[in-house]
Amino acid sequence: MQTAPHHEYELDLVLDKKETLADGVVQLTLRSADGADLPEWEPGAHIDLVLTDDLVRQYSLCGDPAERSVLQVAVLREPAGRGGSAHVHDTLAEGDTVHVRGPRNHFALVAAVRYVFVAGGIGITPILPMLAQAEAAGADWRLVYGGRTRSSMAFRDRLEQAYPGKVTVRPMDEVGLLDLPTILAEPGADVAVYCCGPEPLLAAVEEQCTRWPQGALHLERFAPKAGATDGPMESFEIELSRSGTTLAVPADRSILDVVEASGVQVLSSCQEGTCGTCETAVLDGVPDHRDSLLTDEEQAANDTMMICVSRSCSARLVLDL
């Protein structure tokens, strides 16, 4: 079997601590069994937790990147989810070994003079270390943090105490939806907007930022955006450049399925075009991007694609596999 190379870590870590942060939210603190330093990461990064052989979920790192002895994630119980959060809340216990892949980062903090951070619910997790980085850089920033109730908003007390005057907490049961027209009223060339949260919030922020300079808005999605995977399902060919093998991708199968069936092992996880695990370089041809991760500019470059959901606009694609 051929294996597509990857540049990330695979680690077996020990669940050192599991603690409740808010209603329905637990934080996991993971350590190496031998106390070794863990991989470096930057704000915005996430890791895969391989919970069972067929249950892999992505969670944003929310700790301190300078603290190399641990990796921390916070997990919201999703009653209508696919089983990952229920497994974390109900099955994982302190002392358990957890297989971890990553870190990887498609939500990195760019340099800017000013930042507007908008978080909804558990979407605060990737933003948390960004605030510390922005503060250390001396940038002007503010955070608007919405949630269902105060008691459901993880890290709320910590944020208000650490950054007085810069954090606005807006529980929905007290004040309703976030006032995005006011929060995002003033486009600026030197301002970066970072948002993470449920899809309705992300869609509303996207709509509000249509007047902002291109590239100002940065989003992190937990689920595919509406309509992302829609489009015609037609057959095409792919060439795996490293072996010269040509494979047919029928209308009813993904590139990932076909590649794996040919004996090439590719890391994958979400199967929805949101996590970036299966990102593959495109050497020739025009991808039909159906992911919810790459920016418009990155998709337009056509030099990489998520092979779990994206297809082809051309009759043939050449992939770096």
Side-chain angles (χ1 to χ4, degrees):
M1 175 181 290
Q2 303 173 61
T3 301
H6 56 89
H7 302 286
E8 60 183 42
Y9 294 87
E10 297 221 20
L11 304 166
D12 287 319
L13 302 181
V14 176
L15 177 53
D16 184 62
K17 189 175 184 180
K18 179 180 178 180
E19 57 188 318
T20 299
L21 296 183
D23 293 346
V25 180
V26 295
Q27 179 172 270
L28 308 181
T29 299
L30 301 158
R31 296 181 183 272
S32 172
D34 62 3
D37 279 354
L38 300 181
E40 294 182 356
W41 60 278
E42 295 182 351
H46 67 267
I47 55 174
D48 294 344
L49 297 189
V50 183
L51 302 171
T52 68
D53 289 345
D54 57 356
L55 192 61
V56 182
R57 294 293 182 267
Q58 296 75 44
Y59 298 107
S60 299
L61 292 167
C62 59
D64 179 359
E67 178 51 78
R68 297 287 303 282
S69 64
V70 300
L71 294 176
Q72 292 180 312
V73 299
V75 181
L76 170 69
R77 180 188 288 277
E78 298 276 9
R82 296 177 296 157
S85 67
H87 185 96
V88 168
H89 279 255
D90 300 335
T91 303
L92 276 187
E94 292 180 358
D96 285 353
T97 297
V98 183
H99 190 68
V100 174
R101 296 197 307 229
R104 67 183 71 91
N105 197 344
H106 290 272
F107 194 45
L109 188 68
V110 300
V113 174
R114 187 158 62 93
Y115 297 94
V116 177
F117 297 102
V118 181
I122 199 63
I124 190 63
T125 52
I127 288 176
L128 197 65
M130 291 183 180
L131 304 181
Q133 181 170 321
E135 183 76 2
D140 177 18
W141 65 268
R142 63 185 177 119
L143 165 68
V144 181
Y145 179 17
R148 298 187 313 278
T149 63
R150 286 184 184 273
S151 62
S152 71
M153 300 171 71
F155 307 109
R156 173 179 54 84
D157 290 342
R158 169 178 158 186
L159 286 166
E160 290 181 312
Q161 293 169 10
Y163 306 114
K166 293 188 175 183
V167 175
T168 303
V169 172
R170 307 290 286 176
M172 188 166 63
D173 66 335
E174 297 177 20
V175 298
L177 297 175
L178 296 181
D179 183 7
L180 296 178
T182 298
I183 296 167
L184 301 169
E186 301 178 12
D190 59 348
V191 184
V193 178
Y194 277 79
C195 180
C196 185
E199 182 57 31
L201 173 63
L202 298 178
V205 168
E206 279 187 307
E207 177 64 25
Q208 195 62 41
C209 285
T210 53
R211 298 179 297 107
W212 283 62
Q214 188 176 47
L217 177 59
H218 306 263
L219 300 175
E220 174 90 317
R221 281 186 156 88
F222 297 135
K225 60 184 177 182
T229 58
D230 294 348
M233 300 296 287
E234 299 178 354
S235 60
F236 54 95
E237 288 187 342
I238 56 172
E239 178 184 332
L240 309 186
S241 66
R242 298 178 200 170
S243 65
T245 303
T246 297
L247 303 170
V249 180
D252 61 347
R253 298 183 71 191
S254 69
I255 297 175
L256 178 63
D257 288 340
V258 170
V259 169
E260 290 186 328
S262 77
V264 176
Q265 185 178 1
V266 180
L267 281 180
S268 65
S269 182
C270 71
Q271 311 284 314
E272 296 180 326
T274 59
C275 74
T277 309
C278 71
E279 184 172 8
T280 301
V282 178
L283 305 181
D284 195 21
V286 181
D288 178 4
H289 296 287
R290 301 186 184 187
D291 66 274
S292 300
L293 186 63
L294 298 175
T295 65
D296 291 343
E297 294 80 9
E298 289 169 336
Q299 289 188 350
N302 287 329
D303 56 8
T304 188
M305 67 187 298
M306 307 303 160
I307 62 173
C308 64
V309 292
S310 295
R311 300 188 68 80
S312 183
C313 295
S314 53
R316 184 184 184 92
L317 285 175
V318 181
L319 302 178
D320 186 18
L321 292 171

